[in-house]
Amino acid sequence: MKNILHVERAIKKMTQADLAGQVGVSRQTIHSIESNKYIPSTLLALKIARVFGKTVEEIFQLEKKDL
Amino acid sequence: MRANYLFPFSSRYFGIGLILIHIPIKLLWDHYYPNGYDEHMSSADSTDFLFSAPHLFFIGTTLMVLVGLFLIAFSRERVEDEQITQLRLDSLRWAIYLNYAILLFSLIFTRGSESDHILMLNIWLPLLFFILRFQWVIYRLNRSARSNDSDTNL
């Protein structure tokens, strides 16, 4: 699963720590999600999408290997 | 949010303390009784009464190490989020696999009292494997995040 978290963060001029604070996880977790090392739970994906005012599908997309 | 049944973050320091306290006690015991626990337990004096001094000492020191390791292993991280929970579960599975692999290997290639010692080690070995693996993955995670900081300045 890929994501455009770092792009959305750059648009909003947010640091990883800012986003982590808003969704209640560690900065390391945001880093892991951005580098595709960790797939967030539905709850966390929804929280992240809400911060950026977008739907989950706009931020997280399935890749061919996930299908 | 589901309860995660973990001890508070600070309890790890209490756990480290227990293990550190256990070391001089064990050294003193070994100094006064160089033949060790087994010989005391097999002697006629100590078999008369279950809670003899060597046995009480054994229970005390084993409990100190065990409770210490338990507190270190199952205390919360500063931020106990879902990724940490996953790493915790992965490490626990890894520790159980490794422990049973070593246990099976040891039981095949040892016999008699050696097997008993290996079984005794299994009281705390899975906890030790778990702690080492869990702290290692957290260290790697932090290092990766730090190197990302220096690359992007974010």
Side-chain angles (χ1 to χ4, degrees):
Chain A
M1 194 168 81
K2 60 182 179 177
N3 65 77
I4 53 163
L5 210 53
H6 66 287
V7 177
E8 293 295 334
R9 216 163 40 74
I11 292 168
K12 287 233 173 193
K13 293 188 171 64
M14 286 173 91
T15 63
Q16 289 179 341
D18 294 336
L19 179 59
Q22 288 197 38
V23 295
V25 296
S26 67
R27 191 180 62 81
Q28 287 88 335
T29 297
I30 298 298
H31 165 70
S32 297
I33 295 170
E34 286 186 2
S35 48
N36 292 322
K37 288 178 188 164
Y38 176 68
I39 297 172
S41 68
T42 315
L43 183 68
L44 181 54
L46 284 165
K47 281 183 182 177
I48 291 170
R50 179 177 280 189
V51 168
F52 296 117
K54 300 209 166 182
T55 63
V56 172
E57 288 89 344
E58 285 176 285
I59 296 173
F60 298 95
Q61 292 96 29
L62 288 171
E63 291 176 285
K64 273 188 179 169
K65 63 180 179 183
D66 300 320
L67 300 173
Chain B
M1 196 73 184
R2 280 189 305 161
N4 52 21
Y5 305 108
L6 293 168
F7 298 104
F9 176 79
S10 56
S11 61
R12 72 183 53 211
Y13 298 118
F14 184 62
I16 293 168
L18 278 176
I19 291 171
L20 290 178
I21 290 168
H22 143 269
I23 294 169
I25 295 173
K26 184 82 171 74
L27 287 175
L28 272 176
W29 178 267
D30 287 345
H31 178 71
Y32 287 112
Y33 299 97
N35 295 329
Y37 172 75
D38 290 338
E39 197 155 311
H40 278 284
M41 293 315 290
S42 60
S43 69
D45 292 342
S46 50
T47 49
D48 292 340
F49 178 54
L50 176 64
F51 295 109
S52 58
H55 188 58
L56 280 176
F57 169 80
F58 171 75
I59 293 171
T61 49
T62 305
L63 269 181
M64 281 171 105
V65 175
L66 198 60
V67 172
L69 286 172
F70 209 82
L71 289 175
I72 295 169
F74 299 114
S75 57
R76 293 169 60 91
E77 288 300 308
R78 281 188 199 281
V79 181
E80 185 75 29
D81 61 15
E82 58 179 55
Q83 190 187 19
I84 294 293
T85 303
Q86 192 188 337
L87 293 176
R88 201 180 277 283
L89 284 172
D90 282 349
S91 301
L92 202 54
R93 181 176 52 197
W94 187 90
I96 294 295
Y97 280 179
L98 180 65
N99 182 61
Y100 274 89
I102 292 173
L103 179 64
L104 284 175
F105 185 82
S106 307
L107 287 177
I108 292 167
F109 293 103
T110 56
R111 59 183 176 180
S113 63
E114 285 175 339
S115 297
D116 294 346
H117 284 120
I118 288 158
L119 287 172
M120 290 276 281
L121 278 178
N122 265 267
I123 294 174
W124 52 267
L125 217 50
L127 284 174
L128 188 67
F129 287 151
F130 167 73
I131 292 166
L132 291 175
R133 207 276 182 170
F134 183 52
Q135 293 303 323
W136 169 246
V137 289
I138 286 182
Y139 166 75
R140 277 200 323 184
L141 188 69
N142 290 339
R143 196 178 56 177
S144 168
R146 269 199 303 273
S147 69
N148 177 255
D149 286 351
S150 56
D151 290 346
T152 60
N153 290 323
L154 269 178

